Amino acid sequence: MSTDRYKNGREILPVGDDLKALIVNGSPRKHGSTASLLNRVAGIVNEAGGNVNRCDLVDLNFDDCHACMRCRDSGACAVDDDMQPMYVRMRDSDMIVLGSPIYMGAESGRMKCFVDRFNAFLLPGKVRSGFTSSLGKGKRAIVVFSCGQKDGEMVFNHLNVRYFNILVRLLGCEDMRSFIVPAGASPEASIHSPQARQMIEEITRFVRSD
Ligand SMILES: Cc1cc2nc3c(=O)[nH]c(=O)nc-3n(C[C@H](O)[C@H](O)[C@H](O)COP(=O)(O)O)c2cc1C
């Protein structure tokens, strides 16, 4: 991480070989369309010289949020499961990349469960809708949804808004890009659609902070 993180009073967000990206696949299919899109995102980060730390939620053993609310007092989730290393990995990353298939108009169940557990990052406070975030400053986020419908980016636009509210407004990420990409005839073909090409262009600029 660069030691000179500020320019004209604004934080310089990590790019190039300073960048540590955590990529999380919420699909039960480890080699499906979501994975294919996330592979391309990983490639973009690697091409920019950054480091990728990747995981599939299907490999992790974690509960739904217990709603015990002990995180509000302690600042940490009390549930001892595979979310504990994920909290560490999220705090340690400069860029958080979430990918999920769209199931019945929403993210996958595993991704919903994962995101619900972000409740542990929220501390009572006076900003961000009554919370402060303990995730850490200076992070950026990318969210990629894969769907069956050709016009998914029109139909599921509410997901872009919801994830912006979670990652930027609640958790305090500096900036976010999100994409809804229709699946191709095969997972590999998913990255050749016009929507995927636009995603690749925008993420390339975002990762490089162009
Ligand atoms: C249970 C289930 C529900 C789905 N619901 C929708 C949906 O509401 N809208 C849609 O466009 N596609 C839907 N799909 C299609 C998937 O979103 C699509 O095939 C996606 O590319 C799968 O990603 P994956 O290959 O990473 O698993 C659904 C698929 C499954 C298995």
Side-chain angles (χ1 to χ4, degrees), residues 25 27-29 31-35 100-106 146-149 152 156 181-183 187 190:
N25 179 17
S27 174
R29 298 190 335 134
H31 305 288
S33 299
T34 311
S100 176
I102 289 183
Y103 285 173
M104 306 300 177
S146 172
C147 66
Q149 281 183 231
F156 305 119
V181 181
S190 291

Side-chain angles (χ1 to χ4, degrees), residues 24-27 57-58 60-67 77 79 81-84 86-87 90 98-101 103 106-121 162-163 166:
V24 180
N25 179 17
S27 174
L57 293 183
V58 72
L60 305 185
N61 186 6
F62 63 102
D63 276 8
D64 284 324
C65 174
H66 290 194
C77 180
V79 182
D81 61 12
D82 286 348
M83 275 306 289
Q84 295 301 335
M86 291 306 287
Y87 291 128
M90 285 180 71
L98 305 181
S100 176
Y103 285 173
E107 66 276 77
S108 69
R110 280 282 81 185
M111 181 55 75
K112 174 70 166 63
C113 181
F114 180 63
V115 167
D116 284 351
R117 295 285 297 272
F118 295 175
N119 194 43
F121 289 122
R162 200 163 82 72
Y163 273 74
I166 294 166

Side-chain angles (χ1 to χ4, degrees), residues 56-189:
D56 294 279
L57 293 183
V58 72
D59 289 336
L60 305 185
N61 186 6
F62 63 102
D63 276 8
D64 284 324
C65 174
H66 290 194
C68 63
M69 294 304 183
R70 279 182 281 175
C71 54
R72 289 285 187 277
D73 299 322
S74 67
C77 180
V79 182
D80 185 14
D81 61 12
D82 286 348
M83 275 306 289
Q84 295 301 335
M86 291 306 287
Y87 291 128
V88 175
R89 289 165 86 176
M90 285 180 71
R91 286 199 169 98
D92 196 39
S93 301
D94 308 302
M95 184 171 274
I96 294 166
V97 183
L98 305 181
S100 176
I102 289 183
Y103 285 173
M104 306 300 177
E107 66 276 77
S108 69
R110 280 282 81 185
M111 181 55 75
K112 174 70 166 63
C113 181
F114 180 63
V115 167
D116 284 351
R117 295 285 297 272
F118 295 175
N119 194 43
F121 289 122
L122 302 179
L123 299 167
K126 292 202 170 86
V127 293
R128 291 199 179 94
S129 323
F131 295 108
T132 54
S133 166
S134 68
L135 175 62
K137 292 189 187 309
K139 299 186 194 304
R140 288 179 292 166
I142 295 172
V143 184
V144 176
F145 296 102
S146 172
C147 66
Q149 281 183 231
K150 291 279 170 269
D151 58 350
E153 78 269 32
M154 307 290 285
V155 179
F156 305 119
N157 193 35
H158 60 283
L159 291 174
N160 293 325
V161 177
R162 200 163 82 72
Y163 273 74
F164 183 87
N165 284 337
I166 294 166
L167 290 160
V168 175
R169 299 191 62 201
L170 276 173
L171 295 189
C173 288
E174 302 288 331
D175 204 356
M176 187 189 109
R177 297 288 182 277
S178 59
F179 306 89
I180 297 170
V181 181
S186 67
E188 296 72 30

